[in-house]
């Protein structure tokens, strides 16, 4: 299954772009979607991801460490 961004909202499409953007492998991204960790739209076999949701996931998962 291909994973795509909603074209009107982002700079490109493709599952490799998503995984690179999130710093995850393609399979890790798919597992995130299947586990419900990120909102997405299913259109038949296609999966659409809004870039705003990816940015929100990044913000929610940031951590700070003190050394």
């Amino acid at each position: 299954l291909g994973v795509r961004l909603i074209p009107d909202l982002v700079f490109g499409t493709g599952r490799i772009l998503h995984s690179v953007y999130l710093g995850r492998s393609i399979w890790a991204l798919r597992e995130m979607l299947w586990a419900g960790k990120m909102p997405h739209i299913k259109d038949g076999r296609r999966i659409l991801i809004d870039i705003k949701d990816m940015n929100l996931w990044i913000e929610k998962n940031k951590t700070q460490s003190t050394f």
Side-chain angles (χ1 to χ4, degrees), residues 1-6 18 30 33-34 39-49:
L1 294 176
V3 178
R4 298 191 182 195
L5 299 171
I6 297 172
H18 292 73
R30 288 177 178 172
L33 297 175
W34 295 335
H40 59 282
I41 300 167
K42 290 191 79 170
D43 179 22
R45 294 182 59 186
R46 293 175 57 201
I47 298 172
L48 306 170
I49 304 172

Side-chain angles (χ1 to χ4, degrees), residues 14-27 29 54:
R15 61 184 172 250
I16 294 173
L17 175 65
H18 292 73
S19 61
V20 168
Y21 187 77
L22 293 172
R24 310 287 300 241
S25 70
I26 293 170
W27 281 105
L29 176 59
M54 288 196 296

